[in-house]
Amino acid sequence: QLVESGGGSVQTGGSLRLACETSAFTSCTYALNWYRQVPGQGAREFISGVDGNHKTTYDDNIVKGRFTVSEGAAKNTLYLQMNNLEVDDTGLYYCKANPVTPTGCPTLWSQSTQVTVS
């Protein structure tokens, strides 16, 4: 199970923080990543996340030095700190859990959370 929290409405230049947490009651380990779906685009686009070695990856066309990800101490939570938000950041934000170990664990998607920048 994947639970996302945060989101909301802010003015241009404002900040928001999203959190994504995997269930503690699982034998699977995951690499967590953030995606979003902006209005008028069908596909979800990758923002940033960590790989199986906890190395940060990101799409600089979106991040532009404004967004950072960080993991919680237990490594089952990933935060997305979004600063200097722009109107074009408006959309539905999702967390995706890519299975790392063991083989056979499912890929998970969170419910979406709305981010509105005006």
Side-chain angles (χ1 to χ4, degrees), residues 4 33-35 37 44 92-96 109-110 112:
E4 181 180 346
N33 290 272
W34 289 102
Y35 284 75
Q37 185 176 22
R44 298 175 187 177
L92 296 173
Y93 284 67
Y94 299 84
C95 178
K96 180 185 180 185
W109 283 95
S110 70
S112 63

Side-chain angles (χ1 to χ4, degrees), residues 9-25:
S9 298
V10 296
Q11 293 185 334
T12 301
S15 297
L16 286 173
R17 189 191 197 204
L18 306 182
C20 174
E21 183 177 3
T22 61
S23 172
F25 302 101

Side-chain angles (χ1 to χ4, degrees), residues 38-109:
V38 300
Q41 294 187 16
R44 298 175 187 177
E45 53 186 9
F46 170 74
I47 303 170
S48 183
V50 295
D51 63 16
N53 295 314
H54 302 285
K55 177 182 178 182
T56 298
T57 60
Y58 60 92
D59 184 332
D60 196 44
N61 290 321
I62 296 175
V63 171
K64 296 185 283 188
R66 304 175 299 140
F67 298 175
T68 56
V69 293
S70 59
E71 292 186 282
K75 306 298 185 184
N76 69 326
T77 303
L78 188 71
Y79 301 97
L80 177 64
Q81 178 66 43
M82 302 185 290
N83 298 325
N84 195 21
L85 283 160
E86 303 168 352
V87 172
D88 289 346
D89 294 315
T90 295
L92 296 173
Y93 284 67
Y94 299 84
C95 178
K96 180 185 180 185
N98 294 316
V100 177
T101 60
T103 302
C105 286
T107 298
L108 303 174
W109 283 95

Side-chain angles (χ1 to χ4, degrees), residues 23-37:
S23 172
F25 302 101
T26 176
S27 58
C28 301
T29 60
Y30 289 98
L32 300 177
N33 290 272
W34 289 102
Y35 284 75
R36 73 182 186 185
Q37 185 176 22

